[in-house]
């Protein structure tokens, strides 16, 4: 049994709208052994992981998965459930999964939800190890079962502890996770910005950030004040608030002198420490102060000595000038029963399923360390002492939950005067979120009557004690924070359009972004040549994947996103956002088949359909009514559908419009073809197709369709009719606007058109366009095809070219993608000859730039040269610079080519 591949999906994907892990597993001979044929396997599995009883599986009831195990289910399905449960046992709650068989016997795609990818991946690996270990006990002769040293070395508990430690290091802490959950409940998107607790809520210009419980609105100066314990006490004292007397010291002798001046008992604490580390309480003599100073000074270069305040330890949480929760905290302890030793009582406490390592559970396990032994020593106890029944034996000096403490909710008990005291204290420091550590006999009585003191102000206080107290009612403190960051009615999302399809998506994306810019938006755009913010390229390269989408979502200037979503990114890790306002699928046609497990047009359509499924209920799917695959996607739209069609007789669109639906259609008129918008019974002529520069007077039919799609997308994003008209009329197919998309250069005696056409459907559209142009001379094409396409796809591509062009120069891509030298070129040549092209009309010049130079040097007046470019940028530079010798010479030098100084270069000189 082998894991063949593991893939992490970080957004909506082919398998689910949530982030998922997908493992491709070969269960090998276990295909013949469902669980009911594995003696003892199910019982042993349930003994090790009894919480699998909670899995409902397809039965939808408690014990449903166990029923499936008894009846017989395959190992891929079993591993899915084990991986889910192991993730939960590590402290990361997930519950979704699905397993699918493949065309190859014994191979399964095991998919399960992930919230922290490293935890998810390791949970899947441990699930496979565990099943192999169990097989060694049920059917040890199976090849998949563990053997020998591997079997002897495997220890499930040790492996699970290691997984828990990974979660402790990588997963969000309880406070941050609670804030994320509160944001999700309010439909506010989030992006985790690092491996720790830095999280962005919202998108673009509306974003807010948190780091643990410090927000982007928290004043930096307030955090610095709270970290300075001496300054904090001074400010609170000056405000008339109750604080203990304290002195800052830097040596043991100074600490003894301070204790004498303040008066025993005292406390020592690190000057800038946190989480209770190095805090020593109730020190009653100089020996204890000496020892305490050593411990406190390990955490800080300076130590605060302050008067010990007797009473109960309370944490008062203030959010946005409101006391939202109060907890009474007790240091980690055990309660004697007169029978068991302290060591045994610790084991009993740690067996509580609510306790875990670090922050992975509601409570933290008690640790036997130097501080625990010191606390026992003060009582005259050891770990083997049997405490009397009912006695609380404290193992910690401070009441921090992270060291095993417990919390009791007291929110409803706090007295009004104590509330006002806490609000004043946080106001003095200047925090938006702050924790007041307050010691007093009884929080339900005013501190002015019973006494008490503020012993610390916490910037970035932990929320775990309030979200899940050991006793009492949980408080929605994280919801209060999110409501502070995003008051009711405040936007958190930017309008977002995602565009996919086989052909036309880059041009349509650029058109739509241009229209939205004309509408006054600050547009973030991703395309095949880069990421653009407000028309300026900030990153170069193919940026159509999910990472690029997240870059746009993180930019604080963006108030509208138009994102090209390519097949590769969706297949590799899903979408880069959780949902979109507009999801457009322009077409589905043959391209990229045979790659990443996508072998048929139906499978390709299912992959692109992910964009449609990501449209929210109030959003719009923009679909091509002339494509059979996009038409089928309509049934998966949660929002509404806006069709576009260049066929005025499309019955689907006609019926949709009759019902008041939204559509963009091409209607014939006396002056040409009119792009028309229908919406809620309204008939709105937009503009004549031939007036749009990108259509080249209506000859470029594919760009007419792209313009219609862009109009539909932007109308659904909120652009007005006039803004759409202006945008389309001012969008030209220049290299700057649409590199590699029908870029025309007319500075030679002949016309040159450069395009990134690379598949048969695109060639069909390009051929139609070229056939409509008046070309008195020869139609020439420089042609090549990507090496990772199937032979049949390359032949179809070449056949279509043979029907349109007269002369052919075959080049090769710079990256042959696994093909041999000239393999693709020979395949294209053979196809052209088979289609009746004379061999004398075909040349093979594999170097792209040499092929372009040859075409330019040998073309005559009124010819048409179509360059199907691979390196779009440098091909265009060559085309435009070749006619200017000095400019061309400089470009050659930039490209690293050797150029003889005394020899002329360039098109004009070569022509002579």
């Amino acid at each position: 049994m082998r894991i063949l591949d593991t893939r992490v999906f970080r957004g909506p994907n082919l398998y689910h709208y949530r982030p998922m892990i997908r493992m491709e597993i070969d269960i090998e001979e276990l295909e013949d052994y469902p669980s009911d044929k594995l003696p003892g396997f199910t019982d042993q599995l349930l003994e090790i992981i009894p919480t699998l009883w909670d899995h409902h599986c397809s039965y939808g009831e408690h014990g449903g998965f166990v029923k499936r195990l008894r009846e017989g289910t395959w190992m891929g399905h079993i591993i899915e459930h084990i991986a889910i449960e192991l993730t939960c046992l590590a402290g990361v709650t997930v519950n979704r999964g699905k397993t699918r068989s493949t065309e190859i016997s014994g191979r399964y795609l095991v998919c399960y939800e992930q919230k922290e990818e490293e935890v998810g991946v390791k949970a899947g690996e441990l699930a496979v190890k565990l099943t192999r270990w169990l097989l060694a006990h049920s059917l040890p002769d199976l090849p998949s079962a563990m053997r020998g040293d591997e079997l002897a070395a495997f220890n499930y508990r040790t492996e699970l502890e290691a997984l828990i430690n990974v979660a402790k290091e990588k997963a969000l802490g309880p406070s941050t996770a609670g804030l994320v959950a509160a944001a999700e409940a309010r439909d506010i998107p989030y992006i985790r910005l690092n491996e720790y607790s830095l999280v962005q809520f919202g998108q673009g210009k509306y974003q807010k950030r948190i780091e643990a419980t410090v927000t982007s609105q928290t004043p930096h100066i307030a955090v610095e004040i709270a970290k300075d314990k001496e300054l904090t006490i001074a400010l609170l004292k000056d405000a008339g608030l109750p604080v203990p007397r304290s002195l800052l010291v830097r040596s043991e002798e100074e600490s003894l002198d301070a204790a004498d001046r303040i008066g025993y008992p005292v406390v020592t604490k690190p000057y800038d420490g946190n989480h209770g580390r190095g805090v020593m309480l109730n020190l009653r003599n100089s020996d204890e102060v000496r020892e305490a100073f050593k411990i406190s000074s390990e955490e800080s270069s300076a130590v605060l000595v302050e008067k010990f305040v007797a009473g109960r330890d309370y944490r008062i949480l203030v959010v946005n000038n409101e006391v939202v929760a109060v907890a009474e905290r007790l240091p980690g302890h055990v309660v004697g029963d007169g029978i068991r030793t302290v060591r045994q009582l610790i084991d009993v406490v740690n067996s509580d399923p609510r306790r875990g390592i670090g922050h992975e559970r509601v409570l933290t396990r008690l640790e036997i360390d130097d501080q625990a032994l010191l606390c026992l020593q003060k009582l005259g106890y050891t770990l083997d002492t049997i405490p009397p029944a009912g006695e609380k034996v404290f193992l910690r000096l401070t009441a921090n939950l992270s060291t095993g403490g417990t919390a009791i909710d007291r929110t409803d008990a706090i007295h009004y005067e104590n509330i006002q005291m806490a609000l004043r204290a946080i106001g003095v420091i200047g925090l938006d979120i702050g924790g007041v550590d307050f010691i007093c006999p009884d929080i339900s009585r005013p501190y002015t009557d019973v006494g008490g003191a503020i012993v610390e102000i916490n910037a970035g206080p932990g929320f775990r004690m309030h979200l899940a107290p050991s006793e009492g009612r949980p408080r929605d403190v994280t919801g209060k924070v999110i409501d502070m960051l995003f008051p009711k009615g405040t936007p958190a999302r930017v309008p977002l359009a995602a565009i996919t399809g086989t052909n036309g998506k880059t041009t349509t994306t650029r058109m739509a972004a241009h229209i939205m810019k004309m509408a006054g938006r600050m547009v973030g755009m991703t395309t095949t040549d880069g990421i653009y913010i407000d028309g300026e390229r900030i990153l170069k390269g193919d940026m159509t994947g999910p990472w690029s989408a997240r870059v746009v979502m993180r930019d604080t200037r963006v108030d509208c996103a138009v994102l090209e979503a390519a097949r590769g990114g969706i297949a590799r890790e899903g979408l880069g956002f959780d949902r979109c306002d507009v999801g457009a699928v322009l077409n589905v046609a043959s391209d990229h088949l045979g790659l990443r497990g996508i072998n048929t047009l139906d499978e390709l359509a299912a992959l692109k359909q992910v964009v449609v499924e990501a449209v929210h209920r109030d959003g719009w799917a923009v679909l091509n009514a002339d494509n059979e695959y996009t038409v089928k996607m309509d049934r998966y739209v949660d929002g509404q559908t806006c069709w576009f069609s260049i066929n005025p007789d499309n019955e689907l669109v006609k019926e949709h419009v009759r019902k008041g639906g939204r559509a963009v259609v091409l209607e014939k008129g006396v002056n040409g073809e009119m792009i028309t918008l229908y919406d809620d019974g309204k008939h709105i002529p937009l503009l004549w197709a031939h007036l749009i520069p990108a259509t080249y007077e209506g000859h470029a039919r594919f760009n007419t369709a792209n313009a219609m799609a862009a109009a539909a997308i932007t109308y659904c994003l909120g652009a007005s009719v006039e803004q759409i008209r202006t945008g389309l009329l001012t969008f030209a197919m220049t290299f700057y606007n649409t590199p590699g998309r029908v870029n025309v250069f007319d500075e030679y005696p002949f016309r040159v058109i450069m395009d990134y056409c690379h598949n048969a459907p695109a060639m069909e559209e390009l051929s139609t366009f070229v056939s409509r142009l008046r070309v008195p001379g020869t139609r020439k094409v420089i042609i090549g095809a990507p090496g990772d396409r199937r032979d049949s796809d390359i032949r179809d591509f070449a056949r279509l070219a043979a029907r349109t062009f007269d002369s052919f120069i075959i080049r090769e891509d710079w990256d042959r993608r696994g093909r041999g030298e000239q393999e693709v070129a020979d395949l294209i040549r053979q196809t052209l000859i088979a289609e009746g092209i004379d061999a004398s009309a075909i040349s093979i010049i594999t170097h792209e730039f040499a092929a372009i130079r040859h075409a330019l040097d040998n073309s005559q007046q009124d010819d048409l040269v179509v360059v199907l470019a691979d390196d779009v940028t440098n091909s265009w530079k060559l085309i435009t610079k070749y006619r200017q010798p000095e400019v061309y010479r400089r470009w050659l030098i930039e490209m690293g080519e050797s150029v003889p100084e005394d020899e002329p270069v360039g098109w004009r000189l070569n022509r002579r």
Side-chain angles (χ1 to χ4, degrees):
M1 184 162 54
R2 297 173 297 148
I3 300 175
L4 303 176
D5 180 59
T6 300
R7 194 160 297 282
V8 177
F9 295 98
R10 299 177 176 88
N13 54 79
L14 190 57
Y15 308 101
H16 208 274
Y17 64 90
R18 296 184 182 182
M20 302 285 280
I21 302 286
R22 189 201 72 190
M23 293 194 302
E24 185 179 356
I25 293 180
D26 188 349
I27 66 172
E28 300 175 329
E29 78 283 352
L30 289 169
E31 182 71 8
D32 299 324
Y33 291 90
S35 54
D36 61 328
K37 293 184 179 180
L38 298 171
F41 178 89
T42 296
D43 291 334
Q44 289 183 68
L45 175 60
L46 293 173
E47 182 180 345
I48 291 172
I49 312 180
T51 44
L52 286 171
W53 278 97
D54 297 329
H55 289 217
H56 292 191
C57 202
S58 56
Y59 284 101
E61 61 185 31
H62 181 79
F65 175 59
V66 175
K67 187 182 290 189
R68 291 289 304 276
L69 286 169
R70 304 286 189 206
E71 294 171 347
T73 188
W74 274 262
M75 196 55 66
H77 181 216
I78 296 169
I79 288 170
E80 169 207 324
H81 279 269
I82 295 174
I84 289 171
E85 190 55 34
L86 289 174
T87 304
C88 293
L89 291 173
V92 181
T93 303
V94 296
N95 52 37
R96 302 283 181 176
K98 63 171 66 174
T99 296
R100 296 289 181 266
S101 58
T102 68
E103 295 177 352
I104 302 174
S105 177
R107 290 196 181 181
Y108 290 81
L109 298 178
V110 178
C111 307
Y112 52 95
E113 185 183 358
Q114 64 93 2
K115 291 182 180 176
E116 174 28 67
E117 55 191 64
E118 187 170 345
V119 176
V121 169
K122 291 189 179 299
E125 293 170 351
L126 179 54
V128 172
K129 282 185 183 179
L130 177 59
T131 53
R132 294 183 62 235
W133 182 80
L134 289 168
L135 288 171
H137 296 84
S138 55
L139 286 176
D141 294 331
L142 286 178
S144 290
M146 275 190 182
R147 287 183 173 78
D149 293 342
E150 186 182 10
L151 179 62
F154 181 79
N155 182 295
Y156 168 69
R157 294 295 169 191
T158 301
E159 297 273 357
L160 180 59
E161 289 281 339
L163 181 64
I164 290 170
N165 281 323
V166 171
K168 179 182 175 182
E169 293 176 6
K170 301 293 184 180
L172 294 172
S175 299
T176 312
L179 287 164
V180 167
E184 288 183 307
R186 290 157 175 77
D187 194 33
I188 295 171
Y190 77 95
I191 301 172
R192 189 171 180 180
L193 300 177
N194 66 3
E195 293 185 354
Y196 305 102
S197 299
L198 185 62
V199 177
Q200 172 185 316
F201 293 124
Q203 299 169 336
K205 67 180 290 186
Y206 303 122
Q207 66 179 270
K208 307 287 185 181
R209 292 182 178 183
I210 61 156
E211 186 168 32
T213 62
V214 175
T215 79
S216 49
Q217 296 179 184
T218 305
H220 174 72
I221 192 170
V223 175
E224 291 300 308
I225 290 171
K227 286 167 59 177
D228 187 330
K229 291 180 172 56
E230 183 184 33
L231 176 58
T232 296
I233 289 174
L235 292 176
L236 295 176
K237 181 179 179 182
D238 287 347
L241 290 163
V243 292
R245 187 183 178 196
S246 63
L247 292 170
L248 188 68
V249 301
R250 298 182 182 277
S251 69
E252 183 179 301
E253 291 306 315
E254 287 182 2
S255 67
L256 294 173
D257 181 60
D260 287 336
R261 291 168 60 187
I262 292 170
Y264 290 95
V266 295
V267 174
T268 64
K269 58 176 69 171
Y271 167 66
D272 53 2
N274 53 35
H275 298 296
R277 288 189 288 266
V279 177
M280 306 298 289
L281 303 176
N282 200 12
L283 309 172
R284 296 186 170 275
N285 55 57
S286 58
D287 291 337
E288 291 183 354
V289 170
R290 282 194 181 91
E291 189 63 31
F293 177 82
K294 292 176 184 177
I295 295 172
S296 297
S297 60
E298 289 176 359
E299 303 291 334
S300 176
S301 59
V303 172
L304 203 65
V305 179
E306 68 180 29
K307 182 68 176 178
F308 174 72
V309 181
R312 297 179 177 181
D313 185 344
Y314 296 97
R315 165 65 61 79
I316 306 170
L317 180 64
V318 176
V319 176
N320 198 26
N321 200 36
E322 177 188 357
V323 170
V324 298
V326 180
E328 180 183 350
R329 303 182 298 175
L330 296 174
H333 64 278
V334 296
V335 180
D337 60 5
I339 301 172
R340 282 174 279 208
T341 66
V342 171
R343 189 191 305 274
Q344 292 169 332
L345 291 170
I346 291 172
D347 290 339
V348 170
V349 169
N350 285 341
S351 67
D352 184 339
R354 296 179 300 168
R355 290 190 182 267
I357 300 171
H359 294 294
E360 54 136 343
R361 292 282 189 271
V362 173
L363 299 172
T364 301
R365 293 178 186 174
L366 295 175
E367 299 290 339
I368 299 174
D369 57 12
D370 290 343
Q371 190 172 135
L373 296 175
L374 178 62
C375 290
L376 290 174
Q377 183 183 346
K378 284 191 171 186
L379 296 172
Y381 287 178
T382 69
L383 290 170
D384 296 320
T385 299
I386 299 175
E391 181 185 353
K392 285 183 180 177
V393 179
F394 290 98
L395 301 170
R396 281 290 179 273
L397 297 171
T398 59
N400 296 80
L401 267 67
S402 57
T403 57
T406 56
I408 304 169
D409 179 65
R410 301 294 189 195
T411 307
D412 294 331
I414 186 170
H415 192 276
Y416 173 79
E417 287 191 19
N418 297 337
I419 291 175
Q420 296 305 307
M421 175 272 301
L423 294 178
R424 285 189 61 215
I426 294 300
V428 166
I429 306 304
L431 294 166
D432 57 345
I433 301 172
V436 180
D437 288 347
F438 188 62
I439 307 293
C440 73
D442 186 353
I443 199 72
S444 66
R445 300 177 63 189
Y447 75 94
T448 52
D449 291 350
V450 299
I454 300 169
V455 295
E456 191 165 347
I457 299 292
N458 296 271
F463 289 169
R464 182 165 55 148
M465 69 186 77
H466 308 297
L467 294 170
S470 314
E471 297 178 34
R473 174 183 159 194
R475 303 290 171 168
D476 181 25
V477 297
T478 53
K480 295 286 188 179
V481 174
I482 299 300
D483 290 341
M484 175 188 72
L485 296 175
F486 297 93
K488 190 174 182 179
T490 301
R493 296 176 180 270
V494 301
L496 190 158
I499 302 166
T500 192
T502 300
N503 293 308
K505 53 187 177 292
T506 297
T507 300
T508 303
T509 298
R510 286 179 168 273
M511 283 180 172
H514 179 72
I515 293 169
M516 296 310 294
K517 181 178 173 65
M518 293 296 100
R521 293 286 192 171
M522 179 70 73
V523 182
M525 177 180 70
T526 62
T527 71
T528 50
D529 75 307
I531 300 174
Y532 292 78
I533 305 297
D534 197 34
E536 179 183 350
R537 185 164 66 181
I538 62 169
L539 281 173
K540 183 180 179 181
D542 186 346
M543 297 292 173
T544 55
W547 178 84
S548 308
R550 289 190 288 270
V551 170
V552 169
M553 294 297 98
R554 290 197 295 263
D555 195 291
T556 56
R557 299 169 292 172
V558 168
D559 65 6
C560 179
V562 180
L563 310 175
E564 181 179 345
R567 169 208 58 87
I570 301 173
R572 186 174 61 253
E573 56 174 297
L575 299 176
F577 46 85
D578 62 337
R579 72 176 209 203
C580 54
D581 299 283
V582 179
V585 185
L586 307 182
N587 45 62
V588 177
S590 181
D591 193 22
H592 297 284
L593 298 180
L595 301 175
R596 293 191 182 274
I598 306 298
N599 301 306
T600 68
L601 281 171
D602 285 327
E603 291 172 343
L604 182 61
L607 185 69
K608 293 183 180 296
Q609 185 177 291
V610 170
V611 169
V612 170
E613 293 173 352
V615 174
H616 65 83
R617 291 178 181 175
D618 297 324
W620 290 86
V622 173
L623 298 174
N624 185 347
D626 301 325
N627 184 278
E628 62 174 305
Y629 296 98
T630 55
V631 167
K632 294 175 184 176
M633 296 179 187
D634 182 43
R635 73 188 72 170
Y636 300 99
V637 177
D638 283 342
Q640 301 182 72
T641 299
C642 175
W643 297 104
F644 70 95
S645 171
I646 62 172
N647 177 12
D649 298 319
N650 188 299
E651 290 299 326
L652 171 66
V653 176
K654 285 183 176 181
E655 181 62 23
H656 184 69
V657 169
R658 277 195 291 269
K659 293 179 179 178
R662 184 177 293 183
V664 176
V665 300
L666 193 64
E667 296 183 335
K668 292 183 178 179
V670 292
N671 296 319
E673 295 177 315
M674 172 66 73
I675 296 177
T676 305
L677 170 66
Y678 286 92
D679 183 28
D680 195 22
K682 297 189 292 290
H683 173 270
I684 308 170
L686 279 174
L687 70 169
W688 298 105
H690 66 270
L691 296 180
I692 300 173
T695 69
Y696 294 99
E697 299 181 339
H699 295 312
R701 197 76 166 169
F702 49 89
N703 271 348
T704 300
N706 292 337
M708 295 168 66
I713 291 164
T714 52
Y715 187 74
C716 292
L717 280 175
S720 70
V721 169
E722 194 55 45
Q723 288 165 342
I724 295 170
R725 286 186 184 129
T726 302
L728 290 177
L729 288 171
T730 56
F731 184 85
M733 296 296 289
T734 63
F735 183 81
Y736 176 79
N737 273 343
T738 56
R741 273 69 184 175
V742 197
N743 305 135
V744 178
F745 192 70
D746 281 329
E747 299 298 319
Y748 293 102
F750 45 86
R751 171 171 283 185
V752 181
I753 297 176
M754 187 184 74
D755 194 82
Y756 185 60
C757 171
H758 60 278
N759 59 48
M763 178 60 79
E764 187 169 12
E765 295 283 3
L766 182 64
S767 296
T768 301
F769 169 56
V770 170
S771 66
R772 290 184 173 192
L773 298 176
R774 182 179 175 276
V775 182
T778 302
R779 290 182 171 93
K780 298 183 177 182
V781 65
I782 299 171
I783 187 171
D788 59 358
R789 303 308 196 266
R790 302 174 303 181
D791 286 3
S792 60
D793 295 329
I794 295 174
R795 290 193 186 97
D796 290 342
F797 181 62
R799 286 191 193 102
L800 288 165
R803 300 172 191 175
T804 305
F805 296 98
D806 309 311
S807 177
F808 302 83
I809 302 172
I810 306 173
R811 59 151 185 84
E812 291 222 310
D813 280 8
W814 297 93
D815 179 359
R816 295 199 297 269
R817 306 189 191 190
R819 295 276 187 169
E821 187 175 353
Q822 207 171 303
E823 181 182 348
V824 172
D826 287 339
L827 182 59
I828 292 173
R829 183 177 186 278
Q830 292 164 13
T831 304
L832 292 173
I833 291 173
E835 290 296 308
I837 302 297
D838 192 278
S840 64
I842 305 170
S843 302
I844 295 180
I845 303 175
T846 57
H847 192 284
E848 181 170 30
F849 301 155
I852 294 172
R853 281 191 288 259
H854 179 82
L856 298 178
D857 285 340
N858 293 281
S859 294
Q860 306 299 321
Q861 186 167 341
D862 296 330
D863 284 353
L864 173 66
V865 178
V866 176
V867 179
L868 305 185
D870 179 28
D871 182 346
V872 168
T873 299
N874 283 308
S875 292
W876 184 252
K877 286 181 178 179
L878 171 56
I879 291 166
T880 57
K881 297 178 187 297
Y882 192 47
R883 64 191 181 86
Q884 304 173 66
E886 290 308 314
V887 176
Y888 176 59
R889 179 188 294 275
R890 288 196 296 271
W891 178 75
L892 286 174
I893 295 171
E894 288 174 11
M895 294 296 293
E897 295 193 25
S898 58
V899 184
E901 291 188 11
D902 55 349
E903 291 186 19
V905 294
W907 175 78
R908 293 182 187 280
L909 298 172
N910 288 347
R911 295 284 293 174
R912 295 198 192 101

